[in-house]
């Protein structure tokens, strides 16, 4: 059974059948839609996939955080098939359909926001963020949005403007949307030298307060948005005391706090949503965006907020032809049912503990590991040339990722400087698969870092 198997590479990579398709890709698809992996998938199950040449890979990227439930979960496949047989499209703006409404009810119950909530659906993470911004502006009657260094919110014009990293995400594609202001994110590993954590939190909060003096007055700010764990930014986790401070600043100035849970949602961080940690600390967000793992790979995303915020836009001001597609909604309902039933949030914590135990050993062994960090199963290792200078070791990381792929383990980098390896393995992965994956990674570390 593929889902329980282990990596097995039987050809040079890419194998001949994969190579033929990859060559055709180069002719048919623009290079800007990048892909470094040396294989073409034939079928996937759980955390594993087989390529066209019969090689078996373990996937620790999961379609970039989309496969928390694993490849082609049989119950999700059944739910999608059953929906296809009934109808696979009718617009929610034209005919009512129960799947959209039931999924909204589910998310209203699950999202860690105070008060009575409402939810709308769109198709992608970027659209979720766009709509969160539109709704926040409409509700507050203010224009400006504060985003952060290291942030990633998407590739549409507005969300590209909100995204931090210039290359490859926005270079040469401006001018960007106005009203977006970028403040410094609390990247604790790279905080100013000599500061302890408590001092650094104060420093970053003060930066935010000072921001209103120099860049945009608080009176003009509709929302502050950040990811509970920065995804593309390198899996940077803002300390909870910082989040509490931001919440206080939002309360003080009547600013909405938006949690972009596109990558952190659906059990990845050890909770159904990472902002549950915020709510437990008394710092619940006002708006939450979600996407990626919501429907196991079918395109659908969400915006949830208190009812009075969501009801600010008038009829026709939000929505779209495909938004909240019935097949994707039916799949999402099944994904959520399985996540709750199989306690995948707890499983994320167990995966995190298992991996972190090994990462701690590696930190002792390799000088070039600068930091290991994680929340549940959203983990990263940051590589540096040496611990004193913290100079990014980008080339070494590239070699490690290429080496693991050669041995059947698909991994991916992240971080503005591209120096962290991120772990987004499906949460249905077995302990045996985790251990084998870690062995493959350790061999690559042995070869490429000291
Ligand atoms: C936090 C976050 N927001 C938004 C997006 C954009 O999502 P999409 O690629 O579905 O538009 C991403 C994608 O990686 C993300 O990680």
């Amino acid at each position: 059974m593929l889902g329980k198997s282990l990596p097995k590479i039987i050809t040079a990579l890419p194998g001949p059948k994969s190579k033929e398709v990859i060559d055709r890709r180069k002719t048919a698809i623009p290079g800007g839609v990048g892909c470094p992996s040396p294989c073409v998938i034939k079928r996937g199950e759980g955390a594993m996939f087989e390529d066209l040449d019969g090689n078996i890979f373990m996937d620790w990227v999961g379609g970039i955080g989309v496969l928390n439930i694993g490849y082609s979960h049989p119950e999700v496949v059944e739910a999608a098939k059953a929906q296809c047989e009934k109808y696979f499209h009718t617009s929610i703006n034209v005919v009512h359909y129960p799947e959209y409404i039931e999924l909204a009810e589910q998310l209203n119950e699950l999202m860690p926001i105070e008060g009575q909530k409402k939810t709308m659906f769109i198709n992608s993470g970027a659209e979720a963020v766009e709509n969160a911004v539109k709704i926040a502006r409409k509700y507050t009657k203010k224009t400006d949005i504060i985003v952060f260094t290291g942030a990633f919110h998407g590739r549409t014009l507005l969300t590209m403007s909100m995204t931090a990293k210039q290359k490859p995400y926005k270079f040469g594609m401006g001018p960007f949307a106005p009203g977006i202001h970028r403040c410094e994110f609390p990247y604790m590993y790279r905080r100013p030298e000599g500061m302890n954590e408590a001092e650094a939190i104060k420093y970053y909060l003060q930066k935010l307060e000072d921001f209103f003096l120099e860049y945009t007055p608080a009176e003009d700010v509709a929302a502050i948005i950040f990811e509970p764990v920065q995804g593309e930014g390198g899996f940077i986790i803002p300390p909870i005391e910082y989040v509490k401070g931001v919440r206080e600043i939002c309360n003080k100035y009547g600013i909405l706090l938006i949690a972009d849970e596109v990558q952190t949602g659906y059990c990845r961080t050890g909770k159904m949503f990472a902002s549950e940690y915020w709510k437990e600390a008394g710092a619940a967000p006002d708006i939450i965006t979600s996407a990626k793992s919501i429907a196991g790979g079918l395109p659908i995303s969400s915006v949830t907020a208190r009812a009075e915020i969501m009801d600010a836009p008038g009829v026709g001001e939000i929505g779209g032809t495909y938004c909240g597609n019935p097949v994707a909604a039916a799949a999402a309902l099944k994904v959520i049912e399985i996540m709750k039933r199989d306690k995948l949030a707890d499983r994320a914590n167990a995966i995190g503990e298992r991996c972190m135990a090994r990462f701690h050993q590696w930190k002792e062994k390799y000088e070039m590991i600068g930091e290991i960090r994680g929340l549940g199963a959203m983990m990263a290792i940051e590589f540096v040339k040496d611990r004193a200078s913290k100079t990014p070791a980008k080339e070494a990381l590239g070699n490690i990722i290429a080496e693991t792929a050669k041995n059947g383990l698909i991994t991916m980098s992240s971080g503005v400087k591209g120096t962290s390896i991120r772990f987004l393995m499906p949460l249905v992965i077995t302990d045996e698969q985790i251990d084998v994956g870690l062995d493959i990674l350790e061999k690559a570390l042995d070869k490429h870092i000291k």
Side-chain angles (χ1 to χ4, degrees):
M1 193 188 165
L2 181 60
K4 302 278 178 245
S5 64
L6 296 172
K8 194 167 172 204
I9 302 302
I10 56 171
T11 68
L13 293 177
K17 290 183 184 153
S18 291
K19 184 170 181 318
E20 199 256 330
V21 176
I22 292 169
D23 288 345
R24 276 172 36 217
R25 173 186 171 134
K26 283 178 194 152
T27 311
I29 298 180
V33 185
C35 177
S37 91
C39 50
V40 175
I41 187 169
K42 182 173 162 198
R43 64 191 181 108
E45 236 181 77
M48 309 298 295
F49 70 86
E50 183 185 357
D51 79 355
L52 295 179
D53 300 281
N55 296 302
I56 295 178
F57 291 87
M58 182 154 25
D59 185 350
W60 280 10
V61 181
I64 321 186
V66 173
L67 296 174
N68 289 359
I69 195 99
Y71 279 99
S72 302
H73 194 294
E75 291 172 75
V76 181
V77 171
E78 274 316 305
K81 270 191 194 163
Q83 184 58 43
C84 281
E85 278 164 13
K86 289 197 280 176
Y87 48 89
F88 44 81
H89 176 74
T90 176
S91 169
I92 194 69
N93 302 112
V94 180
V95 175
H96 309 281
Y97 53 94
E99 296 75 23
Y100 190 115
I101 297 158
E102 202 180 323
L103 185 59
E105 287 168 345
Q106 286 273 331
L107 292 194
N108 292 338
E109 205 181 300
L110 288 170
M111 288 288 179
I113 293 171
E114 308 283 0
Q116 195 214 328
K117 289 155 260 177
K118 288 192 174 182
T119 294
M120 71 170 290
F121 297 106
I122 38 283
N123 305 295
S124 66
E127 281 177 272
V129 173
E130 289 249 3
N131 279 276
V133 169
K134 281 169 65 176
I135 294 166
R137 284 177 169 164
K138 191 84 189 185
Y139 175 74
T140 59
K141 301 187 176 63
K142 299 195 274 181
T143 51
D144 286 11
I145 304 293
I146 294 185
V147 296
F148 288 87
T149 51
F152 185 88
H153 296 294
R155 289 184 174 86
T156 58
L157 179 60
L158 176 64
T159 57
M160 174 178 64
S161 307
M162 296 167 72
T163 288
K165 196 170 172 176
Q166 288 291 328
K167 289 184 184 177
Y169 299 129
K170 50 204 288 192
F171 181 65
M173 293 192 183
F176 302 111
I180 309 293
H181 306 277
R182 192 172 311 285
C183 188
E184 198 174 340
F185 198 67
Y187 191 164
M188 297 309 276
Y189 174 59
R190 294 185 180 277
R191 63 182 179 257
E193 223 170 292
M195 275 186 199
N196 64 28
E197 183 160 326
E199 288 163 349
I201 291 169
K202 254 194 192 162
Y203 162 85
Y204 286 114
L205 285 171
Q206 191 57 48
K207 286 224 146 191
L208 189 49
E209 281 277 4
D210 292 349
F211 205 77
F212 299 135
L213 302 175
E214 285 189 76
Y215 295 94
T216 178
E219 290 81 356
D220 286 350
V221 177
I224 296 177
I225 177 167
F226 60 99
E227 303 150 75
V229 178
Q230 276 192 340
E232 300 297 308
F235 286 23
I236 314 296
I237 310 166
I240 198 70
E241 288 304 315
Y242 176 80
V243 179
K244 282 163 70 178
V246 176
R247 178 72 266 180
E248 275 168 29
I249 289 172
C250 288
N251 293 347
K252 185 161 134 195
Y253 297 110
I255 296 169
L256 296 178
L257 178 57
I258 306 176
D260 181 355
E261 290 248 24
V262 167
Q263 199 157 154
T264 49
Y266 302 98
C267 298
R268 172 57 51 192
T269 66
K271 301 267 189 196
M272 184 62 93
F273 295 101
S275 47
E276 285 174 42
Y277 294 106
W278 298 9
K279 191 176 181 195
E280 282 166 10
D286 299 296
I287 304 180
I288 298 177
T289 56
S290 90
K292 291 201 186 267
S293 271
I294 178 172
L298 290 180
I300 182 168
S301 61
S302 70
V303 181
T304 305
R306 280 194 308 286
E308 81 261 19
I309 299 174
M310 291 302 284
D311 280 332
V315 174
E317 288 180 350
I318 49 175
T321 305
Y322 293 113
C323 297
N325 169 270
V327 181
L333 283 167
K334 188 52 81 177
V335 166
I336 291 170
E337 181 191 320
I338 296 167
M339 285 184 164
K340 289 202 265 187
R341 181 194 70 202
D342 295 351
K343 300 190 169 37
L344 287 192
D346 294 344
R347 180 66 189 144
N349 284 322
I351 291 169
E353 277 166 30
R354 197 173 190 92
C355 292
M356 277 293 176
R358 279 288 279 279
F359 296 171
H360 280 291
Q361 290 169 15
W362 293 348
K363 196 163 177 218
E364 296 294 306
K365 185 170 164 191
Y366 305 106
E367 163 73 15
M368 287 176 72
I369 290 185
E371 191 182 48
I372 51 177
R373 48 185 176 256
L375 192 62
M378 190 160 184
M379 302 163 284
I381 300 177
E382 179 159 348
F383 295 94
V384 290
K385 288 194 173 152
D386 63 83
R387 286 190 190 164
S389 73
K390 297 186 182 172
T391 308
K394 193 172 175 181
E395 203 185 310
L397 179 56
N399 292 335
I400 291 163
I401 288 171
E403 183 76 24
T404 61
K406 264 195 237 160
N407 292 303
L409 177 68
I410 304 294
T411 56
M412 196 180 191
S413 70
S414 75
V416 172
K417 292 184 178 156
T419 52
S420 296
I421 187 168
R422 60 170 126 181
F423 300 92
L424 288 168
M425 56 276 279
L427 304 175
V428 292
I429 192 169
T430 66
D431 284 348
E432 185 193 17
Q433 287 169 337
I434 294 173
D435 292 343
V436 168
L438 290 169
D439 290 344
I440 293 174
L441 182 52
E442 186 166 353
K443 268 194 203 139
L445 297 180
D446 273 339
K447 196 159 166 188
H448 294 289
I449 61 170
K450 45 184 181 26

